[in-house]
Amino acid sequence: MKNKIIGAIEVNRDRCKGCALCVAACPKGVIALSEKVNASGYQYAEAINGGCIGCASCGIVCPDACITVYRKKIED
């Protein structure tokens, strides 16, 4: 059996200002700005598709520390 690392992100929607730096930083293209807006009127980032590898590029570039990255090891 081979171990595989998968990732997931959690975005604090209320703090996100929709700058889209995370969208540009994601090497797998699995982050997009929502069509919905938060209480402050900003489109917030959200995970799409589910191909996150847990690299944390999005969390590193987020100027407001709105993104938490999780990594999980699964067995094939």
Side-chain angles (χ1 to χ4, degrees):
M1 294 184 150
K2 184 179 181 183
N3 288 331
K4 179 179 179 181
I5 303 292
I6 60 169
I9 66 166
E10 186 175 302
V11 178
N12 183 328
R13 294 176 179 174
D14 293 330
R15 291 183 54 203
C16 181
K17 295 179 183 168
C19 69
L21 290 174
C22 57
V23 176
C26 181
K28 294 294 184 179
V30 297
I31 304 174
L33 292 182
S34 173
E35 292 185 15
K36 299 176 184 176
V37 296
N38 61 18
S40 299
Y42 297 110
Q43 289 179 286
Y44 51 85
E46 64 182 359
I48 57 171
N49 300 328
C52 179
I53 58 173
C55 70
S57 293
C58 57
I60 292 168
V61 300
C62 181
D64 296 311
C66 299
I67 301 173
T68 304
V69 180
Y70 298 97
R71 293 183 191 147
K72 182 178 177 182
K73 191 182 298 186
I74 59 171
E75 293 185 18
D76 285 340

